[in-house]
Amino acid sequence: MKIRHFMAMAAGAGALAAFVAAAPASADDGKLEELKAQGFARVAIANEPPFTAVAADGKVSGAAPDVAREVFKRLGVEDIVASISEYGAMIPGLQAGRHDVITAGLFMKPERCAAVAYSEPILCDAEAFALKQGNPLGLKSYKDVADNPDARIGAPGGGTEEKLALEAGVPRDRVIVVPDGQSGLKMLQDGRIDVYSLPVLSINDLVSKANDPSIEVVAPVEGAPVYCDGAAFKKGNEALRDAFDVELAKLKESGEFAKLIEPYGFSSAAAMSTTREKLCAAQ
Ligand code: 6CS
């Protein structure tokens, strides 16, 4: 081999090696080893079926915890221990070290993507309204709520539906923070709110279990995006997030991901058709 050609080859190899060395592999912060030693991952949930659910005996289920439990098992973290949190308190709790990860259907949005390290997408859903039978105020969108001075909307504190209502122009005093599904349903039944908004699968689960003919569902809410969540890790724990993503990708590839989430009504295809990059960039 002519010396000139060899030098070119060496330079190319050197450039490749330099690129690989500079590749953004997350530095291992030891968080996974910490969780293995701990024997469990502390997860934040909301108790909003079918995303997350806590039974009377304390058993945690729901699509998000079920996926997280399976991924962590494959990472050598035996179990998950859940604590219930309001959506608006989940990220501060994660940042304060009260949780190791949020597995709650916390939808990816640019402002949240700036605050946490999301996994790749897991659960996707549109938005819905629960309201009085016959939809007397004709509410089909958050803008309809804004345009009707009598319409009061209930939504989770710090949640996506609260933000969508405010962004659509609903005044703060007509956006009522509701702590959980049962409270929202009761407030609707008692006429303290005119519409209660959650993701479609959550509203359908709630209304179908209520078996109350005076309540009906409008889904999807017109003009509202379809969102997807991911497991949300603390900034700085990207090595753990990357390890989570490797196992999540294997579950998606093998069909086990679909077996975990589709019995809850979620679409594996929806989650597999998008990426964290796309969802975090979406305006
Ligand atoms: O990510 C959120 O903000 C929304 N996610 C779910 C699963 N339910 C309501 C909440 O507002």
Side-chain angles (χ1 to χ4, degrees), residues 210-236:
N211 196 19
D212 178 347
S214 75
I215 303 291
E216 78 173 46
V217 173
V218 167
V221 174
E222 288 176 9
V226 170
Y227 290 102
C228 297
D229 88 326
F233 296 86
K234 186 176 178 181
K235 289 278 190 195

Side-chain angles (χ1 to χ4, degrees), residues 48 51 87 104-107 112 156 159-161 198-199:
E48 181 189 299
F51 286 88
Y87 288 100
L106 192 76
F107 292 142
R112 286 175 174 173
T160 296
E161 298 73 28
L198 287 176

Side-chain angles (χ1 to χ4, degrees), residues 14 38 69 98 101 128 168 170 189 202 207 244 251:
Q38 185 174 267
R69 187 184 289 110
R98 283 194 293 278
V101 60
V170 184
Q189 290 164 329
S202 307
V207 172
F244 187 98
L251 288 175

Side-chain angles (χ1 to χ4, degrees), residues 196-212:
Y196 180 43
S197 187
L198 287 176
V200 174
L201 288 169
S202 307
I203 283 286
N204 284 341
D205 182 88
L206 190 65
V207 172
S208 61
K209 287 174 182 168
N211 196 19
D212 178 347

